[in-house]
Each structure stands twice: as structure tokens, then as C-alpha cells.
Amino acid sequence: MLKIALPNKGRLSDEVRELFNDAGLEVRVRGERALTASLGGEFEAIFVRAQDIPEFVADGAADAGVTGWDLVCESGRELDMLMDLEFGRCRLVVAAREESGIQKLEDIQDGVRVASSFTRLTQEFFTKRGQSVKVVPVSGATEIAPHLGIADIIVDLTSTGSTLKMNGLREVGTIVQSSARLIARKGHVPDAAAQLDELRQALGSVLAARGKRYLMANVPRRVLPNVHEVLPGLNGPTVVEVQGGDFVAVHAVVPARNIYRTINSLKNLGCQGILVTRIERLMP
Ligand code: AMP
């Protein structure tokens, strides 16, 4: 049975569990505080810290894993990136104190001290740019380092930028754009490849369904051409005859973000019995 390493706590853990649950791979923990669990009887989950997952997968303790792309890059290990799971979006950025006079990366002078828990990526980034900085390793609360006088600038993760702003810091550059990813060991055996492909498709079908809704409506036959314009659907809407009437039933998969407009357009065309439901899985 393939082993998948999942974050045991922190920002990514709840969303990872929800995604696997929605894909029919429910996390069934055996006993309290267990480090392993069954994933729907198909895979075995092992729960570890998000930052350890790249190492676990690269070393073969797990066949695959889910963690942040920033942590995969920081590990420096060669891994296969199987899919972007689209949550846990954040950026690893360079930030300086607002009053420092540093407006852009070019303003950073040689010898500047950079506090970060991403020491490898920080060093690599500045070396590639030909800037010689001194990396100060910290393990948390990086944003206070410039105020404590232990660093001049920082490299830290942010999503909205509000924590940086609250701490009087200005973003001056981006090192990595990150989100949660499904990763696997490079060159896994063909048997594992087939199972991982199934897993990728299952998770992908849940992600595809999240942004879509299933819509049904009774449409007056004479306005059917107009409804085709409102509901392009996945492959065009399905039209079902309603016996002996002037109406046809139309079913379509529509983008969730347009649903407010779509319903109003259908109502204005004289459609009735409009029904919108969530979709659990979508495999085109
Ligand atoms: P943890 O430290 O276990 O909470 O997990 C942190 C991971 O969550 C990071 O490595 C990122 O991949 C991800 N993440 C998503 N948004 C943010 C954010 N705003 N700040 C820090 N980490 C984030």
C-alpha cells in the first residue's frame, strides 16, 4: 500500500484532510494521536510536520506527500511535482523596514543582514543576483527581527501582506510563489505511478468541481437558442424533452462565480423551476 505523507498540524493540515475526504479517501485514524491512518483503505497516511515532508518523500519513507511548494524548494531535494492543489497560496518575499530607504532589490547593499527561516532559498536568491548578504537563521516571528536589531531585512512568507505592513515592513521582491502541492519521489516504480495517477485524477476531480455548479431549469422551447448563449456548459447544455409541454428541461455545469448573473438571465428569459446544486466530483 502506498504511503502518503500529510501535514500533521499547521495551516495546510485541515484543507488537506478535507480534500482527501471529498475525494473519497477519508482519513481513518487508528487510535488517538496516531502517526498513521488509512486513507479510504487505498493508501496509508503518515502525519509529519509540513517542513519534513520533502525529506520523507525524497528518502523513501513515503511514496508521495502534500506540502507547501516553498518547503519543497527550500529542501533542495529533487522531487516530482504531480499537481498544484490550489490552496495554501502564499509568496516568499524580501521585505525591508519602511524607513530603511530600501524600495527595490537593487537598493540592498552588500553585507546586509537577512533574517529568514528559509536560509537556503535566501542565500541562493542573493548569490544568483550577485549580491553578498549575511543570512541570519531564525525559526519563527521573522518579521520582528529588524526591530530587534538582529537583521536589516527579512525573507518571509506572506499571503495578504497585512502582517508585514502591521510590522512596518515593505515588500521589495518575490522569491517563490507557493501553494500546496502533491509531490512524489523521482522515478517511482511503474505500479506506484499508476496508483499516483489515479490519486491525482481523484483530487483533480474534487478541485474541478469546487468552482462549478450543476444547474437545471425548465425553459420555454421558443427561448432555447437564447439559453444556449447563457449556458455554454461543459459541452453545451443537455436538453431533455418534457412530455406534452411548451417547456424543455435544461441541465448544465456552470462556473460558480457566474451563478448570480446566470440565474437572473434565465429568469428574464421566462425559465422556471431553476435549481442549482453543488457538484462533488467532476471528471470531464
Ligand atoms: P505551518 O508552518 O505548518 O503552518 O505551514 C506553513 C505552510 O503553509 C507554509 O510553508 C506555506 O506553504 C503555507 N502557507 C500558506 N499561507 C501562508 C502564510 N500566509 N504564511 C505562512 N505560510 C503560509
Side-chain angles (χ1 to χ4, degrees), residues 7-13 49-51 67-71 87-91 118 156-161 163 178-180:
N8 57 353
K9 55 183 181 202
R11 275 172 214 263
L12 302 177
S13 66
R49 294 187 326 161
Q51 57 261 58
T67 193
W69 184 239
D70 49 295
L71 298 169
F87 56 83
R89 284 200 189 285
C90 57
R91 291 163 287 129
F118 290 81
D156 201 8
L157 288 174
T158 182
S159 45
T160 59
T163 308
S178 183
S179 55

Side-chain angles (χ1 to χ4, degrees), residues 120-177:
R120 238 186 72 88
L121 285 174
T122 302
Q123 192 61 261
E124 193 181 279
F125 178 75
F126 286 105
T127 304
K128 271 200 188 137
R129 292 181 52 84
Q131 287 174 299
S132 156
V133 299
K134 184 174 180 320
V135 179
V136 180
V138 291
S139 55
T142 312
E143 62 280 358
I144 61 168
H147 303 288
L148 298 177
I150 59 167
D152 307 297
I153 61 173
I154 66 162
V155 165
D156 201 8
L157 288 174
T158 182
S159 45
T160 59
S162 59
T163 308
L164 295 176
K165 277 212 188 82
M166 249 167 47
N167 284 282
L169 298 164
R170 173 195 299 132
E171 276 179 50
V172 293
T174 299
I175 300 182
V176 173
Q177 298 273 2

